Amino acid sequence: MSAHRSHRPWRRPLLSAAAIAAIAVPSVAFATDTPAPTSTPSPRSAQQTLDDTYYKDAIGKTGPELKGALHTIISKQTKLSYDEVWDALKATDEDPDNPANVILLYTGRSQSKTTNGGGEDDWNREHVWAKSHGDFGTATGPGTDIHHLRPTDVSVNSTRGSKDFDNGGEELAEAPGNYTDDDSYEPRDAVKGDVARMILYMAVRYDGEDGFADLEPNDQVDNGSAPAIGRLSVLKQWSNDDPPDAFEKRRNQVIFDQFQHNRNPFIDHPEWVGDIWK
């Protein structure tokens, strides 16, 4: 096992926003015989609607109770075959600026949807929870769950292999911002949180039922074929430092609307990471 280098300062891109100043003008009330109109209630947000419906049995829970409730909720899903994953990823990971392309997870490169395959510069189906960690392969279930399957450059996917996630290593020339050593892989900053939330989704969704292993994160690397992946402490930090962005939220919605009809709860409620794994 190679030694990990010290943690580098966070390298998130700077975001700019236009600030709009609002000037409050006090209103003046006048006596009148006409009754004041009844105010129209503001429409409920999409998140409030989800909490009232999809997540209603999880709201207010923490720890094992929250994890159990979420498992029951997200286990109600449509399962895809491994062949169906190809077309699903072309929709879930579509480049918002070029509908003919997908965005590759580790490189961030926009690449034609038609270049999927096994060639060195093609894109393929990366199991973010490495399929050897629990020996589920490409079986329908964890092996085809598109909440953790993403398009990646073939050779970069090969470099990641089945390594656990952690900070450290040497930077990949083919994928700047990604680092690896003998036993771990560190993705680029823009998708660190995505990776963490995919791993934690898998730990809640697959708990030993359906003939598959009970998948759990732990705080170590070099887990081999055990149904475990790490490091949990690093994944929690990544999720906190890289909150869900528009691309990740859209992806979650497309999976829910068009394919599996279940959600990754840690995209909708990132705070649940800390509520379950304290």
Side-chain angles (χ1 to χ4, degrees):
M1 181 187 305
S2 64
H4 291 280
R5 59 184 173 74
S6 60
H7 181 62
R8 296 180 306 284
W10 190 246
R11 303 180 302 278
R12 296 184 66 197
L14 295 176
L15 302 177
S16 62
I20 301 175
I23 301 174
V25 180
S27 59
V28 180
F30 295 94
T32 176
D33 293 333
T34 305
T38 303
S39 60
T40 302
S42 58
R44 297 186 66 76
S45 69
Q47 186 60 60
Q48 289 172 322
T49 300
L50 280 172
D51 289 351
D52 289 345
T53 54
Y54 189 73
Y55 291 123
K56 63 183 176 61
D57 293 332
I59 299 301
K61 294 181 170 66
T62 61
E65 286 191 350
L66 174 58
K67 186 180 180 186
L70 291 176
H71 169 75
T72 298
I73 292 167
I74 66 178
S75 294
K76 298 179 179 70
Q77 70 179 97
T78 298
K79 296 175 182 178
L80 307 180
S81 71
Y82 199 45
D83 283 341
E84 289 173 326
V85 167
W86 284 122
D87 286 336
L89 295 183
K90 293 174 183 179
T92 59
D93 291 75
E94 181 179 286
D95 182 347
D97 296 321
N98 185 350
N101 287 9
V102 291
I103 299 292
L104 307 190
L105 176 65
Y106 297 133
T107 62
R109 186 170 73 240
S110 178
Q111 184 160 322
S112 172
K113 292 177 178 179
T114 64
T115 60
N116 60 301
E120 184 177 352
D121 292 320
D122 288 341
W123 63 269
N124 62 3
R125 298 159 290 186
E126 155 76 325
H127 291 79
V128 176
W129 184 294
K131 56 184 181 289
S132 62
H133 290 231
D135 290 325
F136 53 76
T138 59
T140 299
T144 64
D145 194 316
I146 55 177
H147 276 296
H148 86 117
L149 281 157
R150 298 291 292 266
T152 56
D153 177 273
V154 167
S155 54
V156 174
N157 189 1
S158 178
T159 298
R160 187 264 157 146
S162 60
K163 296 172 183 175
D164 295 85
F165 292 103
D166 197 3
N167 294 310
E170 298 297 323
E171 188 170 22
L172 274 67
E174 190 177 2
N178 293 255
Y179 297 79
T180 192
D181 58 20
D182 291 343
D183 53 30
S184 72
Y185 191 90
E186 178 184 348
R188 60 192 175 100
D189 289 346
V191 297
K192 278 184 165 72
D194 307 50
V195 166
R197 287 180 284 273
M198 286 186 279
I199 292 295
L200 299 178
Y201 161 88
M202 292 292 284
V204 171
R205 171 60 186 88
Y206 299 99
D207 68 350
E209 298 176 351
D210 304 327
F212 298 109
D214 181 4
L215 306 183
E216 288 295 337
N218 62 17
D219 209 38
Q220 65 188 54
V221 294
D222 204 17
N223 277 293
S225 62
I229 205 164
R231 295 182 184 266
L232 176 58
S233 59
V234 172
L235 293 169
K236 288 172 63 178
Q237 188 64 49
W238 288 355
S239 181
N240 183 69
D241 291 342
D242 176 36
D245 60 13
F247 186 91
E248 190 180 2
K249 291 176 181 178
R250 175 195 172 277
R251 188 176 197 277
N252 196 29
Q253 192 65 42
V254 171
I255 292 173
F256 182 67
D257 289 340
Q258 300 181 29
F259 296 102
Q260 293 186 177
H261 311 298
N262 71 340
R263 305 183 70 85
N264 182 333
F266 304 113
I267 297 173
D268 295 321
H269 280 280
E271 74 278 7
W272 281 346
V273 172
D275 288 341
I276 294 175
W277 291 279
K278 299 183 184 294

